[in-house]
Amino acid sequence: MKKIVFSVLSILSIYAAFAQDKSVQQMRNEANREIKKDPNDTIPKLWKTGAIFRVNFLQGAQDNWAAGGDNSTLGLSSFFSGYAYYKFGRHSWDNTIDLAYGFLSTTSLGTRKSDDKIDILSKYGYDIGKNWYVSGLLNFRSQFSAGYAYPKDGSPVLTSDFLAPAYVIVSPGLNYMPNKKFSFFISPATLRWTFVKNDSLANAGAYGVDSGKHVRLEFGAYSTISYTTKISENATYTGRLDLFSNYLHDPQDVDINLTNLLAVKVTGVLTMTLAFNLIYDNDVSTVKSDGTTGGAKPQLQELLGIGLQVKL
């Protein structure tokens, strides 16, 4: 009898061990099994979002340097670009934000701004066929802090500040987008507000506002062209051209805002950037070397930097 009971218990323990081993193996197989997408799950991804952050550093020091120069140099420039694109059926909604700020500090010149930018763009489109969209556009541009001109003789001259100027554009029109790289928007009826919130600049009638006032309204034609392309595996170019003609005052003097940015990935997160920007606005006066104001001239900016880039 004891032998029979022992035999039965042995068989049961072997079976239990086998069952347990089989159960463990099944769990392993379930864990390693690739989950296949349900063919009935047809919910589209409506939003596409992302961002890029870059920061470039410059530092230098010298002592008793025969070639001359400043004893100490420190510079920093930062750039943030984010986007949120919506697409559903014939409806599209593109939103972008570009922020930039930089400064350069030297022993002889002190600290000066090298870059300052706020640019927010929102554009809705309804597809009417053949790559054309009935669209509405909203654009806001300004800067973070005060800017100065540095004449050879005299103290620095205040030329700009936060919300001085600030531009707001509301523009219904047509948008042509044959692919993801190129976009051409045009509107024959656009409203543009120029804000100058700084009292001293407003009293001087800066940026075309009437002396003592803080807001100027313009009505005219507007167009913006943007282009982005991947030149190579490591190089990307982004360009944008904005044009505005004011019907109410000197429509032949077209305002121009051109931005160009070339980014080359050196290795890992290390990136080299080259930016070239041009602005012409007939209502923006220049500051001469003696500190007095002059007529409007093309404003040119070139920035070259090597630093870190992080994609979000």
Side-chain angles (χ1 to χ4, degrees):
M1 184 67 180
K2 291 181 178 180
K3 291 183 178 179
I4 295 175
V5 173
F6 179 78
S7 298
V8 171
L9 292 175
S10 299
I11 293 172
L12 290 175
S13 62
I14 293 172
Y15 177 78
F18 174 78
Q20 183 180 12
D21 181 72
K22 184 178 179 182
S23 178
V24 171
Q25 187 62 37
Q26 285 178 342
M27 286 190 291
R28 288 176 179 173
N29 293 338
E30 287 295 323
N32 295 327
R33 182 174 62 87
E34 181 181 356
I35 299 176
K36 295 183 179 180
K37 185 177 179 180
D38 186 355
N40 296 322
D41 185 8
T42 58
I43 299 176
K45 185 177 180 181
L46 302 180
W47 286 95
K48 181 180 179 182
T49 60
I52 293 175
F53 176 72
R54 300 189 187 98
V55 58
N56 299 325
F57 297 96
L58 170 66
Q59 187 275 330
Q62 58 188 26
D63 187 24
N64 298 322
W65 193 251
D70 280 298
N71 293 334
S72 176
T73 302
L74 176 65
L76 180 144
S77 64
S78 59
F79 174 79
F80 175 85
S81 178
Y83 63 86
Y85 300 146
Y86 174 86
K87 178 69 175 177
F88 181 72
R90 292 189 173 186
H91 301 274
S92 65
W93 185 22
D94 296 347
N95 302 276
T96 61
I97 179 171
D98 293 325
L99 308 175
Y101 193 83
F103 70 88
L104 181 66
S105 179
T106 64
T107 307
S108 60
L109 300 178
T111 301
R112 298 185 178 185
K113 229 176 19 170
S114 59
D115 197 12
D116 195 355
K117 175 183 179 182
I118 301 174
D119 193 335
I120 302 173
L121 180 67
S122 182
K123 182 171 59 177
Y124 166 80
Y126 182 81
D127 189 356
I128 57 175
K130 296 184 179 181
N131 302 318
W132 284 94
Y133 294 77
V134 175
S135 298
L137 180 146
L138 175 64
N139 183 217
F140 170 81
R141 288 192 295 117
S142 189
Q143 61 189 51
F144 289 101
S145 64
Y148 297 87
Y150 298 90
K152 295 179 181 179
D153 302 321
S155 302
V157 178
L158 178 70
T159 58
S160 63
D161 204 345
F162 176 65
L163 297 181
Y167 300 99
V168 175
I169 289 177
V170 176
S171 182
L174 293 174
N175 194 27
Y176 177 66
M177 292 190 298
N179 50 55
K180 295 181 179 180
K181 297 181 179 180
F182 179 82
S183 174
F184 170 62
F185 176 89
I186 187 169
S187 169
T190 296
L191 294 174
R192 185 174 81 163
W193 288 267
T194 301
F195 297 89
V196 181
K197 289 301 181 181
N198 182 282
D199 289 336
S200 63
L201 293 173
N203 291 333
Y207 299 97
V209 300
D210 292 335
S211 180
K213 294 187 177 180
H214 295 277
V215 182
R216 180 191 185 193
L217 175 61
E218 298 172 274
F219 176 71
Y222 173 78
S223 178
T224 180
I225 302 171
S226 60
Y227 181 69
T228 301
T229 186
K230 198 169 184 179
I231 300 174
S232 66
E233 188 64 26
N234 297 321
T236 303
Y237 167 79
T238 301
R240 176 176 156 190
L241 173 64
D242 293 351
L243 304 172
F244 179 78
S245 172
N246 182 17
Y247 294 148
L248 307 179
H249 179 70
D250 295 333
Q252 72 279 3
D253 292 326
V254 178
D255 295 340
I256 302 172
N257 190 347
L258 173 65
T259 61
N260 297 275
L261 178 63
L262 175 65
V264 180
K265 183 178 179 181
V266 180
T267 174
V269 296
L270 189 63
T271 302
M272 181 186 74
T273 58
L274 174 62
F276 175 76
N277 304 318
L278 182 149
I279 296 177
Y280 177 79
D281 189 332
N282 193 51
D283 298 314
V284 178
S285 301
T286 58
V287 178
K288 299 179 181 180
S289 59
D290 60 358
T292 61
T293 58
K297 293 182 179 179
Q299 307 168 49
L300 301 175
Q301 181 190 56
E302 181 267 329
L303 298 169
L304 175 65
I306 297 179
L308 304 179
Q309 172 176 291
V310 179
K311 287 188 177 181
L312 308 177

